[in-house]
Amino acid sequence: MFKVILIVGDGVADRPVRELGGKTPLEIAVKPNIDELSKRAVLGVWDPISPGVRPGSDTSHLSLFGYDPRRYYSGRGPFEALGVGADIRPGDIALRGNFATVNDELVVLDRRAGRTLPENRELVKYLNEGIGVVNDFEVKFYSATEHRVAVVIRGTTVSADVSDTDPHEVGVKVLKSTPLSNNENAVKTADVLNKLTLMTYKLLKDHPLNNVRVERGLPPANIVLLRGAGKMAYIPKLQEREDIVLGKCLAVSATAMIKGICKLIGFEVITPPGATGGVDTNIMSKAEEVLRAYRDGYEFIYLHVKGTDAASHDGNFKAKVKVIEELDKAVGHLTNNIDLESTVVVITSDHATPTSVRDHTGDPVPVLIYSPELIGDGISNFNELSARSGSLCRLRGTDLMYVTLDYANRVRKFGA
Ligand code: ZN
Ligand code: ZN
């Protein structure tokens, strides 16, 4: 069995950029190391979910690791909670929440408490210290951006079949959560959400930070409105799966959402110093972690680079080219220091993020698989166009993980 190193430039795939003479950042970037590996690899294109479906980084990463997102993706609540670094386990429910402003009758005056809320972290800490448990459910709040929070509720009888306390409009009272199915767990959970909502109001209404906000003429963040309850699905870890053979796995990433997903499916996760998830990220320090894990006997190592996606969302194709060139140096450092006679190396993108669109699209992305036992396609550059002529042709969704592990001799036989 071979070791596997999987390298993803998040959103690296693009469409022709007019300012680059109709070429893509992958075509323009100077990347001798990736192109050298390309010659000895097989190339193709990959639809991260299926043709034309625009993936989030969460659903595309499930697919990347061989988990059909249509089966395992349990909604935005749980995955947004993962995205803010929440400890969420299969069976927990997660909700999205807003700090909001209500009057004494619990009529919503501002669903976002003014939106700008630098007090978010401190108020979340205060809520966690003051609440912790409601009935016999554990409750934990996590800070997100601006006025947003995530809430994770844990208990053996917790249910996601409950309605929102957020009325989604102003001028009306905070809603009472009701069970959406006729079962005892939903009744219990709705009761917990109602108690929890009132507890946030009691704790927040006279909080000193809110008094200061009122003095300054700002809306106080005096309640948390909850919406979109979702239950984290049971996802077998890579090591538990019966169709593949994997032991120790490590993911190197600076992105909370990706780290959360990786942890959930059995990766150890590490963020080296200098790795930021932005365009200024230190990719070489990530490559060092990959090499360390490689020498320590890890069998599947995932290297995630977010800077390409960050530049794409900004429409900054120049920065994107630069991040690709940095990634190339890291790839060179890796290929110079691993045993290519016993390692499978994959380079791809979790979705396209065209700089012209500034968001994810459903375009197929280029993929390169190097394996010591494969005859390469001899394609001496790696980009959206060249990948179309490769022998891998077009892979869909979870195919990529199986094809990769097959070339690493880590897939069990289907049938006798
Ligand atoms: Zn992504
Ligand atoms: Zn993105």
Side-chain angles (χ1 to χ4, degrees):
M1 284 189 287
F2 298 141
K3 290 182 181 177
V4 178
I5 297 178
L6 168 62
I7 301 166
V8 164
D10 202 302
V12 75
D14 213 304
R15 292 177 178 176
V17 179
R18 195 175 309 148
E19 294 88 338
L20 297 177
K23 298 216 180 284
T24 67
L26 266 178
E27 287 180 287
I28 288 286
V30 178
K31 47 177 180 44
N33 298 298
I34 293 174
D35 289 343
E36 180 59 34
L37 193 65
S38 171
K39 255 186 248 171
R40 304 165 64 186
V42 290
L43 270 63
V45 294
W46 173 51
D47 292 293
I49 294 176
S50 50
V53 173
R54 296 190 159 189
S57 284
D58 45 9
T59 46
S60 71
H61 270 77
L62 285 174
S63 199
L64 176 70
F65 296 127
Y67 296 87
D68 182 353
R70 293 193 169 97
R71 173 164 175 204
Y72 290 107
Y73 184 66
S74 43
R76 284 183 67 177
F79 279 80
E80 284 199 355
L82 279 179
V84 294
D87 167 28
I88 177 164
R89 304 175 195 167
D92 293 349
I93 68 160
L95 298 104
R96 299 197 281 156
N98 278 3
F99 280 110
T101 309
V102 292
N103 68 14
D104 297 344
E105 275 82 50
L106 296 185
V107 171
V108 178
L109 304 177
D110 185 336
R111 277 190 67 237
R112 300 181 180 87
R115 194 183 276 273
T116 308
L117 191 67
E119 299 90 344
N120 187 318
R121 282 186 180 277
E122 203 164 327
L123 294 177
V124 159
K125 187 163 168 264
Y126 186 69
L127 290 175
N128 283 330
E129 285 164 1
I131 300 176
V133 175
V134 181
N135 294 354
D136 51 356
F137 292 166
E138 276 176 59
V139 175
K140 190 150 184 203
F141 290 83
Y142 294 88
S143 261
T145 53
E146 298 180 321
H147 55 282
R148 301 179 190 92
V149 297
V151 185
V152 175
I153 303 181
R154 181 170 299 158
T156 47
T157 55
V158 72
S159 165
D161 283 342
V162 287
S163 68
D164 301 348
T165 61
D166 184 345
H168 298 264
E169 56 181 325
V170 294
V172 295
K173 273 191 87 162
V174 173
L175 297 178
K176 273 211 163 12
S177 175
T178 54
L180 297 176
S181 63
N182 192 11
N183 88 44
E184 201 185 321
N185 294 347
V187 174
K188 266 195 202 169
T189 307
D191 179 48
V192 165
L193 291 195
N194 291 326
K195 283 186 177 149
L196 179 61
T197 304
L198 286 181
M199 284 165 116
T200 65
Y201 175 66
K202 281 193 188 120
L203 284 165
L204 294 170
K205 69 179 163 95
D206 298 318
H207 192 282
L209 288 174
N210 273 328
N211 295 340
V212 173
R213 280 181 72 84
V214 172
E215 276 166 33
R216 288 214 214 120
L218 298 169
N222 59 11
I223 198 164
V224 176
L225 302 176
L226 301 168
R227 67 184 194 279
K231 191 168 215 166
M232 181 51 89
Y234 176 74
I235 303 187
K237 293 193 182 342
L238 291 165
Q239 297 83 353
E240 295 165 355
R241 288 174 49 164
E242 286 172 3
D243 47 354
I244 57 178
V245 186
L246 276 175
K248 287 204 296 180
C249 302
L250 181 87
V252 185
S253 171
T255 308
M257 164 89 76
I258 304 305
K259 290 162 72 174
I261 291 173
C262 287
K263 238 182 244 171
L264 193 71
I265 60 171
F267 283 92
E268 290 168 47
V269 174
I270 194 162
T271 305
T276 60
V279 293
D280 57 344
T281 191
N282 183 347
I283 306 177
M284 205 51 102
S285 71
K286 287 184 174 171
E288 286 297 343
E289 289 300 339
V290 171
L291 286 176
R292 195 165 302 141
Y294 184 84
R295 293 185 195 114
D296 283 352
Y298 284 80
E299 297 176 355
F300 188 105
I301 307 164
Y302 176 52
L303 170 59
H304 175 247
V305 173
K306 186 73 179 169
T308 37
D309 189 58
S312 307
H313 283 286
D314 291 341
N316 190 343
F317 49 86
K318 281 186 191 152
K320 189 168 182 176
V321 169
K322 237 184 104 213
V323 180
I324 295 169
E325 292 179 346
E326 288 303 309
L327 174 61
D328 182 72
K329 287 178 199 148
V331 169
H333 188 54
L334 289 176
T335 48
N336 285 334
N337 286 285
I338 59 174
D339 176 16
L340 282 171
E341 291 308 309
S342 63
T343 312
V344 169
V345 182
V346 180
I347 303 178
T348 190
S349 183
D350 59 337
H351 48 75
T353 312
T355 42
S356 58
V357 180
R358 297 187 179 208
D359 207 346
H360 307 179
T361 62
D363 314 356
V365 303
V367 56
L368 161 172
I369 303 180
Y370 164 83
S371 169
E373 288 185 353
L374 269 181
I375 299 166
D377 293 337
I379 300 173
S380 61
N381 52 44
F382 175 67
N383 57 56
E384 294 83 350
L385 185 61
S386 68
R388 292 187 203 163
S389 354
S391 62
L392 271 179
C393 302
R394 189 159 183 161
L395 303 177
R396 264 203 202 201
T398 55
D399 290 355
L400 178 57
M401 183 67 163
Y402 286 99
V403 172
T404 301
L405 293 180
D406 179 44
Y407 288 138
N409 301 320
R410 291 180 176 276
V411 178
R412 287 188 217 272
K413 204 189 287 175
F414 179 50

